[in-house]
Structures are given as structure tokens and as C-alpha cells.
Amino acid sequence: MFAGALFILLGAFSQWQDRPGAAIVAFSLAIAWSVRQPAQKAWRAVRARRLDINTLMVVAVAGAIALGDWWEAATVIWLFDVAEWLEAWTLRRARHAVQDAMAVIPERAQVRRDGREQEIAAIEVVIGDLVIVRPGERVPVDGRLTAGASTVDQSPITGESWPVEKQPGDAVLGGTINGMGAFEMEASAPADASAVARIVHLIADAQARRAPTQQFVDRFARTYTPAVMLLAIAVAFLPPVVALTGAGGAGGAGLFGAHLAVWGYRALMLLVAACPCALVISTPVAITSALTSAARRGVLIKGGAHLERAADITCVAFDKTGTLTHGRVKVTDVKGVDGTTAHGVLGVAAALESRSEHPIGRAIVTHARTEGVAVAAGDDFRALPGLGAEARVDDADVIVGSHRLFEDRQLCTPSLHAEFELMAERGETTVLVGRGGAGLGVIGLGDSPKVAGADAILALRAAGVKWIALLTGDQQRTADRLRADFGLDDVHADLLPSDKVACVEALRARFGPVLMVGDGVNDAPALAAADLGVAMGAGGSHLAIETADVTLVSDDLSRLPYLLTLSQRTLAIIRANVAIALGLKLAFIVLAILGVTSLWMAVFADTGASLIVTANSLRLLRSGRT
């Protein structure tokens, strides 16, 4: 590509220096450098009895050379070559990102075999091995707890907002992150069949099943190019044959040759007039303008095919955490019981949690300070893995934890249980607070929804989207609350990555092309399976961003309806460009057949059509102004 650009610049400089011979040589080298792959693909397409965009490009270059426009021939094929390289480069990056995803699986694992602990390679772990996982470590394989308890961050796999409590008998997934407790687990799958490995396989399978996308001009070329060629052949040979037949064979070869010279020239003018340069330019200029416009708005689209596909979207599926919500734990409600005030509950809980590194603890302390509640650090802090924590605050025993912990300690009074049930029904995560052997109150926590989400969903419906769904690994009650907040048509909860892929395929079968929006590693397979995958750029994982077709740089959901309307407008302009180009071509084709035009007029028509479609396409740049 660099060499092709260099030859084009040399040709342009030679033209400026009034050295046409040198210019033609330089442009010829640029064409030869860039046309190889399109020519090879065009030849394979012809042998397969079909004509695609590569065939159209070769015809366009040949037509431009016939017109003597070497500059146009060189630049058109070079720009096409650049676009093809960018598409291949994007695909390579996506493949590398999939390979990098395997890096989250630890290379080593601590196991107990024959009563003796030993460190082995993670890939050597077999089903039934007893694996020891210490605080802060990544779980090397899938398994089930046999001893100990902890909280496990499953967000890389399920997308849940905060760590999940794990007790003996609970399943844990490879690639998740252990919290403050240590535990032992029995391996239920080898490392190459862990949750993360399955995600990688799901992405590869989804990309392999995804139907190839043809651009509008590529589809049109399959009809236009053979039609023009057949028409030129008919114009060249049919009138001489008719004339010879009408003369009863008199005159023989001389009569046929005379008519062939006349009609052959008209066929040549027809081919020149029908040269698809303006048609070929109509799409890349419009696509480039639209991609530039989108980039100005913080929407990075990985190619023209993805932009065109957005116009067909009829269903949108959202992930929850980090997409429709901020993905941060936040205190949503505080209730005291038996005469305890909300500030009293918050002060006691924050005093205990001031020593904690748990996300819920940090959220409680932050909320207490925001509310102006004095936070006095407790003493003798002790984490209760998978249950909560306890400490001494102002010479009293304080406990903060789950409903299960309070039931085990016989601290869950009827009033405390009632408040717990109310918050749980609203889909909030609950933390119970007690002091001195008595229950004080309940704190509700949740993941705050994005304010722009509801407006974006309304705008998506206005842009023609028929169905909007939520696909989340979170619990059903939380999903139901978001359905009401955002006005969603449907919600699917408790989903693993493979379940999200199945939901995308089911939505496509019911409603048509699906756009999937997500941000996590667990969303990557669904992003690959969807007709159009959109990743959140600011907080999204590397794998999700590389797998997706579109990235929202600032995580602004209002850019989604903009993406759809931009795609629809781009296709409308491309169709208008095609109509303009073909209208002028058709007029000059008729004139060429009638013999009332000349070669220079055909050249003028081709140049004029190219200027018109270029000016029309540049209007898309205005879509990027904010």
C-alpha cells in the first residue's frame, strides 16, 4: 500500500511537471501494485460464474484507462486495496484478542494428591483433583467447593455486578477471582474446558456461523456488470447479423465487416459510457464520509459492511452491568427497625466496613460519608467469607452480613425479616446490620441505571427497532426492575455466555437482524453471534471491543439510535448516487447506440457523474457536527 501511494504521488507530480509519459508509467506501477488481489478474486468469481465487487473494480479500472484517466484508475484501485487491508487487519486483531482472553486462566494450580500439596501446570489438572484456591487468586478450572467459603468475583464470566458468596457444594468457574477467603474445590473440568475456554470457543463458532455481508454495490454489480457486457456484445454483433440476413447474404463478409466497424465503435462508446467509475466511487466516498462523521460522534465503526448492516436492525439486545447500568455498587435504601434511625444503621455498618476491601463495604462507607454520617473505625475486624463480617465498635459487637448469617445467629427478628423481604422483592441486594445481639436494620444495594438509557430506547423505537430485550447474568428480580425502569419488551436473566448466544439466535428467528450491546468478556460470544455487535469503549473489556463491529467510545447509549439513522441515511445516499450514475449512463448508452454521441462526450458524462456522486456523499460529513 505504501508503494502504491508513492507511485500515485510520483504520477501526480509528473503530471504537474507536464511529463505525461512519466506520469503514465508511475500510475501504471501503482495500478499493477494494487490490482493483483482484486484481479485474482475477480478471476475466481468469473470462473465460479458470478460477478462481485472485485469484478466491478477491475472493469472500472479498465474503463478509466480506456478513457485515459490514469489518475482515477490508480486512486480507485488503491483506495479499494486499503479498504480490503483494513478489513483483514480488523479480523486479525479480533483473533488476537480471543487468544489473549485465555491469559486470564492461571498457568499454575495448587492441588492435593495422595494427601500431599503440589503445584502443577493448570493444563495438567484432571477431573476429580482437589484444587486449593487462596485469597485473591484466579480459579484455575471449573469445580465445586468442598471446604472453606469465600466471595468470588464472577463478572468476567457472568457479568454480575459484585462478588457472589460461595459455600461448600457451590459451583465455581475457571477464570473467576477469589475474594478474601480460602477454599478447596473438586475440579469438574480440565483447564481447556473451563468457562473462559468455552467463551473463546463460542466466539469462534459464532463468527464461523455468521452469514457473510455483501455491500450494496457488490450485490448490484452481480447484475449491472454482466448486463452491460452482454448489451455491448449485442450492439456490436446483432445489427451486422440482422443487416446481413436482411440482404439475403448479398455482400457477404464485406457487408458484415462494414456494419461491424460502425456498430463495434458504438459498442465501444457504450462500454466507455457505461464505465462504472462513478458507480464504484458512489459507495466508498459515502461510506468514508459516514465513518468520519460517526467517529466525530464517538462511534467507531470497523468497516462499511457493518455500517450498511445497521440499517437492517429490527431488534436490540442489551447486557445489563456496564451497559444499561453503571456497573458500580451503590446504596439504594437504608431502613432501621425497632426505633433505630436510618443514619444509626448506616453509621454502625460503615464503622465496621471501614476496615473492609469488599465492594459492598466500600459502597456503604462512601454512602455514609456522602450523607454526613460520622464513621468511627471499628476494632478486631474479622471477615466471615461468604457470609459477611464482624467487629467491635464502641465496645459493642457489631455484625453485618447476609440474611443467612442472621438466621444462623438467630438475629433475624420479624421486623428485620419484613424489611429484608421488601428490598429483596425490588431486586436489591440486601445487607443486614446488628449490634450487641440485636438487629438494627437493613441496607439495600443496587447497580444504578444510566439516565440516558431510557431516552436511547425511545429513540431506538423511533428509528424502527421492533423489539428491545435485556440479556443478563444477574438475577431475575433485578432484571424485572430494569424492565420497568427502561420500558423493555423482554428480559432474560441468570444467563451464561452460551445462553446469551442462544437468546440472540432466538431473537433473530423471531424479529430479524439483531444488534447486541455489551461490555464484558462474557458478552463477547453474543457480540460475535449478533448481526451487529456494539461494545462500550470506556469500560468495556479488550475482548468485547475487539470482537464487536462498533465501539461507543464514551459509553454514550444515545449514539445507538444515531448509528441506525446514520446507516439508513448513508444507504439512501448510496442509492441516490447509484440512480444518478445510472441515469446519466443510461442516457449516454442510448445516445451511443443511436450514434449521436462521441467518445469525448462519454468521458464528460463519466467525469460529471463522479463529481455529482462525490458532492452528494460529502453531505454525510455534516452528520458528525455536534
Side-chain angles (χ1 to χ4, degrees):
M1 286 188 301
F2 176 78
L6 182 60
F7 287 133
I8 289 173
L9 291 174
L10 286 173
F13 180 76
S14 297
Q15 277 189 338
W16 181 62
Q17 292 289 317
D18 197 20
R19 297 167 59 190
I24 290 175
V25 170
F27 289 138
S28 298
L29 289 172
I31 293 169
W33 205 265
S34 301
V35 81
R36 288 176 299 170
Q37 286 193 4
Q40 291 170 359
K41 292 178 180 178
W43 175 243
R44 286 197 294 268
V46 171
R47 291 180 62 185
R49 298 181 181 179
R50 60 181 175 82
L51 299 176
D52 59 7
I53 187 66
N54 294 284
T55 313
L56 192 60
M57 285 301 308
V58 172
V59 172
V61 170
I65 292 174
L67 296 173
D69 196 340
W70 292 87
W71 159 263
E72 183 172 339
T75 53
V76 164
I77 193 64
W78 182 80
L79 288 171
F80 182 76
D81 203 35
V82 170
E84 291 287 295
W85 179 84
L86 285 173
E87 184 177 346
W89 177 75
T90 300
L91 180 60
R92 285 196 302 272
R93 286 199 60 180
R95 288 172 178 167
H96 289 320
V98 171
Q99 294 168 359
D100 292 343
M102 296 298 292
V104 303
I105 301 177
E107 295 182 356
R108 311 291 295 175
Q110 193 78 17
V111 300
R112 181 179 290 119
R113 290 176 175 174
D114 300 326
R116 183 170 62 88
E117 287 189 20
Q118 55 183 304
E119 187 179 272
I120 63 173
I123 58 173
E124 296 177 3
V125 175
V126 298
I127 296 174
D129 269 343
L130 195 63
V131 181
I132 301 167
V133 183
R134 297 185 175 88
E137 291 183 346
R138 280 190 182 269
V139 180
V141 296
D142 292 358
R144 192 169 296 276
L145 260 71
T146 57
S150 186
T151 55
V152 177
D153 181 2
Q154 298 186 151
S155 58
I157 309 300
T158 66
E160 291 169 279
S161 304
W162 44 73
V164 178
E165 299 173 356
K166 297 293 182 180
Q167 299 287 335
D170 292 340
V172 288
L173 302 174
T176 56
I177 305 167
N178 186 25
M180 300 300 293
F183 60 84
E184 296 180 0
M185 55 175 274
E186 181 181 337
S188 60
D192 58 0
S194 68
V196 174
R198 291 198 300 271
I199 287 177
V200 172
H201 296 320
L202 281 170
I203 294 170
D205 291 343
Q207 289 175 334
R209 291 196 305 268
R210 193 177 198 175
T213 300
Q214 285 186 314
Q215 291 187 351
F216 176 77
V217 170
D218 194 353
R219 298 192 299 269
F220 188 83
R222 299 180 68 173
T223 303
Y224 177 81
T225 305
V228 168
M229 291 179 174
L230 289 174
L231 181 60
I233 293 171
V235 168
F237 292 99
L238 192 58
V241 171
V242 171
L244 185 61
T245 304
L255 178 63
F256 182 82
H259 280 279
L260 183 62
V262 173
W263 287 100
Y265 179 73
R266 293 183 182 183
L268 178 60
M269 284 193 297
L270 184 153
L271 281 175
V272 171
C275 174
C277 290
L279 185 63
V280 171
I281 289 173
S282 65
T283 294
V285 175
I287 292 293
T288 301
S289 298
L291 295 180
T292 303
S293 172
R296 290 175 179 174
R297 290 281 189 97
V299 181
L300 302 183
I301 307 171
K302 294 183 178 178
H306 307 308
L307 176 65
E308 289 188 24
R309 192 186 294 126
D312 300 326
I313 294 299
T314 54
C315 176
V316 175
F318 286 96
D319 168 52
K320 181 186 79 72
T321 306
T323 304
L324 284 180
T325 66
H326 290 286
R328 296 189 297 270
V329 184
K330 180 181 178 182
V331 174
T332 56
D333 201 2
V334 182
K335 294 290 185 181
V337 298
D338 302 330
T340 306
T341 64
H343 273 203
V345 174
L346 194 57
V348 170
L352 182 147
E353 297 289 5
S354 64
R355 303 287 190 186
S356 173
E357 292 298 321
H358 195 284
I360 289 179
R362 291 197 296 267
I364 291 173
V365 173
T366 299
H367 186 70
R369 289 171 178 163
T370 302
E371 292 293 312
V373 176
V375 178
D379 300 316
D380 301 326
F381 175 86
R382 185 165 69 92
L384 306 173
L387 296 171
E390 57 187 356
R392 294 279 296 175
V393 177
D394 295 333
D395 295 326
D397 292 327
V398 172
I399 185 170
V400 174
S402 65
H403 181 255
R404 175 181 173 179
L405 174 63
F406 272 61
E407 288 282 3
D408 291 344
R409 297 286 182 93
Q410 298 183 343
L411 297 175
C412 192
T413 62
S415 57
L416 198 64
H417 185 78
E419 291 293 347
F420 160 76
E421 286 287 348
L422 285 174
M423 290 187 186
E425 286 175 6
R426 293 197 295 264
E428 298 176 3
T429 295
T430 55
V431 171
L432 280 63
V433 183
R435 181 177 61 188
L440 295 183
V442 184
I443 298 175
L445 300 106
D447 187 1
S448 56
K450 293 183 178 179
V451 177
D455 293 337
I457 287 172
L458 290 175
L460 284 172
R461 296 192 191 280
V465 175
K466 300 176 183 176
W467 194 261
I468 300 177
L470 175 69
L471 310 182
T472 178
D474 228 329
Q475 58 183 336
Q476 187 66 48
R477 286 181 296 191
T478 302
D480 290 336
R481 180 163 56 87
L482 285 178
R483 172 193 271 188
D485 290 343
F486 290 105
L488 302 171
D489 295 307
D490 198 8
V491 296
H492 303 268
D494 300 310
L495 301 180
L496 290 173
S498 57
D499 300 325
K500 290 188 177 184
V501 172
C503 284
V504 166
E505 292 172 349
L507 289 170
R508 181 189 294 115
R510 290 181 61 193
F511 304 107
V514 178
L515 182 152
M516 174 69 193
V517 190
D519 74 317
V521 171
N522 60 303
D523 299 317
L527 292 173
D531 297 275
L532 191 69
V534 178
M536 311 300 279
S541 70
H542 176 67
L543 182 59
I545 291 170
E546 295 298 339
T547 303
D549 308 307
V550 180
T551 300
L552 304 182
V553 176
S554 59
D555 291 1
D556 187 353
L557 293 176
S558 69
R559 298 316 188 206
L560 284 175
Y562 162 76
L563 169 64
L564 301 192
T565 54
L566 176 66
S567 174
Q568 293 160 3
R569 188 178 176 212
T570 302
L571 279 186
I573 284 181
I574 290 174
R575 293 188 178 105
N577 287 345
V578 171
I580 292 168
L582 290 183
L584 287 172
K585 298 295 180 186
L586 181 61
F588 275 86
I589 286 172
V590 173
L591 293 175
I593 294 173
L594 295 176
V596 295
T597 187
S598 61
L599 198 59
W600 73 265
M601 292 176 66
V603 174
F604 180 79
D606 182 75
T607 303
S610 297
L611 290 175
I612 292 171
V613 300
T614 299
N616 190 38
S617 299
L618 291 176
R619 294 191 299 120
L620 285 165
L621 289 174
R622 292 203 298 266
S623 299
R625 294 175 183 172
T626 56

